Amino acid sequence: MKHFLTLGLLLTTAGAALAQAPSAADSVAATPPPAANPLTFYGFVDGYYGFDFKHPATNTRPGFLYSHNRQNEFTVNQGLVGLRYDDGRVRGAVGLHAGSYVAANYAAEDPVFKHIYEAYAGFRPFQKAWLDLGIFSSHIGFESALSKDNWTLTRSLMAENSPYYEAGARFTYEVAPQLTLTGLVLNGWQNIRETNQGKALGTQIQWKPTDKLLINSSTFLGNEQPQDSLRRRRYFHNFYLTYAATERLALAAVFDVGKQQSAGRRGYDTWHTAAAFVKLKLADKLSGTLRGEYYYAQRGVIISSLQPARTDADFRVAGGSLNLDYAPAANVLFRVEGRYLQAQDAIFQQRDAQTADGYGNLTTSVALSF
């Protein structure tokens, strides 16, 4: 992994870098011609209901789940409205959002910033390149904050515990229609306000060798401890590929690995996680996705604690889900998902103050985009 990070930092230094890629809407493509109207309005709303089996006396799902994290409650995961401008030479966006996802995932942000989905401005320093500054979607991950762009309704554990958004500077360069590079200088690991005097670095490579295959590699390097804490360097690499096997069958594989300096900077705490997705089109308006996933974190680093002690327990969970999607119209999606997680230890709260090593839920959603 150190060799890959070295390559990523060289790419950043050289200024060869790429655009955000967590969203399924982002893809490697040639520079589009200017739109007839450079100013566009967009919106999205995702209403849902979830139910946890053997749940405790609370409407909150386990603390490491941030999207669709309420149970036995009709609510909105994300309501979003925004404006985007792009005339081919200058671009920017402002989007505001609210919902249970925002309440959970932006809890540590300043109230002035927590309802900003995106807010950035950019220009072309030269042909096939963009320089953007502000708040934008993360360059890490196969899944984004917008559920409509994801293959499954709920997010995998790896997506929930890696950045959904970032604040900083982003330089994107299209080497060829099949290859895009991005370099970033960031305030940190999913934080809008800076928490110390250090800056983080990120890189992304997206390569589409064929129309059916997309390969992505993203990295992160930074110190993510508060100013008054001992420095703990964090190294992270995200890799995923998607493959459209046929018109009806698509596959995806995702793998993350990270390291953070341990307490007293004696060695490193490591986490690694993997997920596989199989998506099948069942009919013109109906599709299904099967997901399998695994998450391991030494001493619970990141998923349980940002500053784990040497005596903290490891976190190890595997699980699967089945997702059914029905699209009655092009901009509406009705989804139902069943999910089960199995832990190494009894970490899931149940009724009567009991704990268990298994956890299951059902979630249903109606999402509208415009």
Side-chain angles (χ1 to χ4, degrees):
M1 187 183 75
K2 291 184 178 179
H3 296 299
F4 196 91
L5 286 168
T6 301
L7 173 61
L9 293 175
L10 288 174
L11 288 171
T12 304
T13 304
L18 126 164
Q20 69 186 45
S23 169
D26 297 323
S27 60
V28 180
T31 304
N37 182 4
L39 184 63
T40 57
F41 173 77
Y42 69 93
F44 173 70
V45 61
D46 177 11
Y48 74 99
Y49 174 83
F51 182 80
D52 292 4
F53 301 106
K54 298 182 180 179
H55 60 81
T58 177
N59 296 102
T60 303
R61 285 178 164 170
F64 47 77
L65 301 179
Y66 301 94
S67 298
H68 303 92
N69 72 324
R70 305 289 292 174
Q71 73 91 25
N72 198 20
E73 176 179 302
F74 292 97
T75 187
V76 174
N77 185 61
Q78 187 181 36
L80 166 66
V81 292
L83 293 170
R84 289 193 177 119
Y85 180 87
D86 187 345
D87 66 1
R89 297 171 299 171
V90 175
R91 70 181 183 184
V94 176
L96 302 177
H97 63 167
S100 63
Y101 155 79
V102 178
N105 212 37
Y106 290 70
E109 298 291 355
D110 189 303
V112 174
F113 293 104
K114 67 191 311 178
H115 291 289
I116 297 178
Y117 170 72
E118 62 179 354
Y120 65 88
F123 69 99
R124 286 193 182 277
F126 52 88
Q127 189 178 12
K128 295 187 178 181
W130 285 102
L131 177 61
D132 302 305
L133 269 73
I135 302 167
F136 35 79
S137 296
S138 171
H139 72 290
I140 293 170
F142 171 65
E143 301 162 79
S144 78
L146 300 181
S147 63
K148 71 180 181 66
D149 293 334
N150 300 324
W151 291 18
T152 59
L153 172 57
T154 66
R155 313 306 192 272
S156 63
L157 295 178
M158 63 198 315
E160 292 281 55
N161 294 277
S162 58
Y164 279 115
Y165 61 89
E166 298 167 328
R170 177 181 63 192
F171 183 83
T172 306
Y173 179 65
E174 184 186 281
V175 179
Q178 301 82 16
L179 179 63
T180 307
L181 307 176
T182 299
L184 306 100
V185 180
L186 305 167
N187 286 342
W189 177 275
Q190 188 166 278
N191 54 279
I192 297 175
R193 297 294 295 267
E194 182 60 272
T195 59
N196 55 41
Q197 294 301 312
K199 291 293 178 284
L201 299 176
T203 66
Q204 186 181 33
I205 301 171
Q206 275 202 336
W207 180 41
K208 194 169 185 180
T210 71
D211 291 340
K212 294 185 176 183
L213 180 64
L214 171 65
I215 300 173
N216 180 93
S217 176
S218 302
T219 67
F220 177 94
L221 167 63
N223 169 38
E224 294 310 296
Q225 304 304 311
Q227 186 64 34
D228 57 354
S229 300
L230 292 175
R231 185 177 65 181
R232 297 189 188 188
R233 287 289 184 186
R234 184 178 302 170
Y235 307 90
F236 181 81
H237 177 230
N238 159 253
F239 171 85
Y240 70 83
L241 62 85
T242 63
Y243 179 65
T246 68
E247 291 184 358
R248 291 184 174 272
L249 177 65
L251 309 172
V254 193
F255 179 76
D256 291 353
V257 60
K259 286 181 174 290
Q260 179 176 279
Q261 288 177 305
S262 303
R265 299 173 64 181
R266 294 175 293 178
Y268 288 85
D269 295 322
T270 302
W271 74 99
H272 55 79
T273 176
F277 301 78
V278 179
K279 184 174 183 178
L280 181 64
K281 184 177 180 181
L282 303 172
D284 288 342
K285 298 181 179 181
L286 184 66
S287 65
T289 300
L290 182 66
R291 172 180 61 195
E293 58 179 319
Y294 172 82
Y295 197 108
Y296 168 77
Q298 190 176 14
R299 302 184 182 92
V301 62
I302 302 298
I303 195 167
S304 299
S305 174
L306 298 179
Q307 298 177 308
R310 300 188 69 84
T311 57
D312 288 352
D314 293 347
F315 180 97
R316 194 188 304 267
V317 170
S321 67
L322 178 61
N323 202 96
L324 292 176
D325 297 348
Y326 172 66
N331 61 339
V332 176
L333 190 60
F334 172 66
R335 317 184 83 172
V336 178
E337 181 187 280
R339 187 179 191 182
Y340 183 78
L341 300 175
Q342 180 69 43
Q344 176 179 260
D345 302 312
I347 63 173
F348 298 110
Q349 296 293 323
Q350 292 192 322
R351 297 170 182 168
D352 303 321
Q354 300 295 312
T355 58
D357 58 3
Y359 166 74
N361 67 34
L362 285 173
T363 310
T364 184
S365 161
V366 176
L368 168 70
S369 57
F370 53 90

